[in-house]
Amino acid sequence: MLPGVPGPSVAPWSLSFVGRPRWKGPAMNDRTLDLGLRTGNLLLDALDEDERVLMLADSVTRPIEVGNTLFRPGDEIGYVACPTRGTLSMLAQPNESTPVEAATVGREGAASVHSAPGSRRASQELVCQIDGEMITVGIERFAKQAQDGRLQALVYGYLEALVVQISLSAACNAVHHLNQRCARWLLQTHDRVDSDTFGLTQEYLGIMLGVQRPSVSIAQQSLQTAGCITFHRGTITITDREGLEAVACPCYEMIRAEYSRLVPLHIQR
């Protein structure tokens, strides 16, 4: 184990997403899709072409801009967000000053999909984590199409995998060393982006891990000294993927294995 600070027993801190900008609906750079092409979201692209075209009939591609809040607890959910680049984060906030990530959603899945058959009210905060793009599909269309066919099987499997991610992340935060947790989170993010380099401030990484910024700095420095990453002014580069996997706790491989088992994303042309 690399030297560093243990977690997660740290004092509460004042950072939260309260006051962060909300995504406010269609904007100048929103655009419609060419329905004949694959989207870049693995869940959507695993549908047969006819199913995918029907699903995307009134969808819109919108930017993921880091720091924006899409939903807060109690908000009515009007769409399912399917990232094609970048990531979204589901946050649990046990008090006003200590948000902690419950799950990361990237191009392998969809955010708010669990609300489609349910109450249509947000139970957690959903924020933009790493810049990119997402396809938004109306909640009614998504829920109706998920009642049968290929999408139903994919959604059921994805929801089960999401529960595994949430439960293991909670257990991981309770028992594993901060360096291990940081490596696990960076690997999960690396899996969901198209580059070895991505924007991520210490402030945001602290929120994802539920620790204070000085602890994040020590963990990052430990991983950099080990040759796994480099970081500079809000940008992280994965320089040794195998080394990072060796540092990470077993939770990373357990989560990845469950997604592979439960969400068979065989891409349809």
Side-chain angles (χ1 to χ4, degrees), residues 198-222:
F198 46 89
L200 184 69
T201 65
Q202 289 183 345
E203 176 186 58
Y204 268 58
L205 186 54
I207 291 175
M208 301 310 133
L209 297 173
V211 297
Q212 299 182 54
R213 184 173 175 177
S215 298
V216 173
S217 180
I218 294 171
Q220 281 187 324
Q221 189 61 57
S222 296

